[in-house]
Amino acid sequence: MELVYFCHPIKKAVGGVKVIYRQAELVNKLLGSHGHSAAVMHPNTWTFRVRWLESHVPLNRGFFKWRWVGKPSLSRIDGCFDPQRHMVVLPELWARKYGDQLARMKVNFAIYVQNGYYISKGHAEVLNEAYQSARCILTISDDASRCVAMAFPGTESKILRVHYSVDASRFNPWQPKENLITYMPR
């Protein structure tokens, strides 16, 4: 079984992208000897590669057909995945784009909610079909879990809370604190 993480092609450092890459690395490390693998896919980008993060995760290249319904950014993924070989992990922002298509193709998929306040982007009926059809819904906080459960009743049993961990060899909280100003663009 190959786990394919869909990931936005973002050229600057973003925590959510880093988390997806790290999880794919961990899947390969823990399950590779059992015949399972993970890859990251940046849909509709042939040459994109994250350059701000060192990673050895394989990239799954895929170029989908444009689906001119509403926005040209929606694309058709018909025939791109094998239900027997693939499981897809979608970021919450792409549940509306690809969730209903994967459900119709009978490809198992999960929705990875890293921001519980983005789950309502799109048409309610399309989003509801995606969340109801997902094999599981991964959330990164109790708040995100509550948001999903409230927005999509009946999905509570599919919600799996993912707990982040900090690598002590890369991050040392006991270093002297500096006064820093941080800016979040959103």
Side-chain angles (χ1 to χ4, degrees):
M1 175 70 67
E2 181 180 15
L3 190 61
V4 180
Y5 284 86
F6 275 36
C7 187
H8 294 85
I10 300 174
K11 293 181 181 178
K12 58 185 177 192
V14 174
V17 171
K18 189 175 187 178
V19 167
I20 287 172
Y21 271 82
R22 294 289 186 234
Q23 285 184 357
E25 281 179 352
L26 189 59
V27 167
N28 286 331
K29 181 179 176 182
L30 296 175
L31 300 177
S33 62
H34 299 288
H36 301 289
S37 64
V40 172
M41 176 183 269
H42 301 283
N44 295 339
T45 58
W46 287 109
T47 60
F48 181 81
R49 176 175 291 283
V50 172
R51 303 212 186 279
W52 50 267
L53 169 68
E54 184 179 329
S55 175
H56 302 289
V57 173
L59 295 179
N60 186 331
R61 303 288 181 190
F63 197 79
F64 307 139
K65 298 172 190 155
W66 295 113
R67 181 173 71 166
W68 293 90
V69 177
K71 292 183 176 183
S73 64
L74 296 176
S75 50
R76 291 194 347 240
I77 59 174
D78 308 342
C80 294
F81 298 99
D82 179 356
Q84 303 302 315
R85 269 193 38 218
H86 296 107
M87 178 160 177
V88 176
V89 179
L90 298 173
E92 74 282 318
L93 283 172
W94 284 351
R96 69 176 175 86
K97 275 185 173 185
Y98 302 115
D100 62 329
Q101 295 181 71
L102 290 166
R104 282 195 300 277
M105 294 167 40
K106 306 246 185 291
V107 173
N108 286 324
F109 69 97
I111 299 172
Y112 195 2
V113 179
Q114 293 193 58
N115 187 331
Y117 300 103
Y118 284 164
I119 61 175
S120 62
K121 302 276 186 194
H123 296 291
E125 60 277 355
V126 175
L127 283 169
N128 193 48
E129 180 182 347
Y131 278 83
Q132 297 296 337
S133 300
R135 181 147 185 198
C136 65
I137 302 163
L138 307 169
T139 61
I140 57 124
S141 68
D142 293 334
D143 182 55
S145 298
R146 284 190 300 273
C147 287
V148 171
M150 187 169 60
F152 306 103
T155 61
E156 296 85 3
S157 64
K158 296 179 180 189
I159 298 172
L160 300 172
R161 170 80 159 77
V162 177
H163 295 272
Y164 289 148
S165 62
V166 176
D167 184 351
S169 67
R170 293 183 182 196
F171 176 75
N172 185 351
W174 296 280
Q175 294 174 343
K177 184 185 175 304
E178 295 179 54
N179 291 326
L180 298 175
I181 297 174
T182 304
Y183 170 71
M184 284 291 287
R186 57 177 178 259

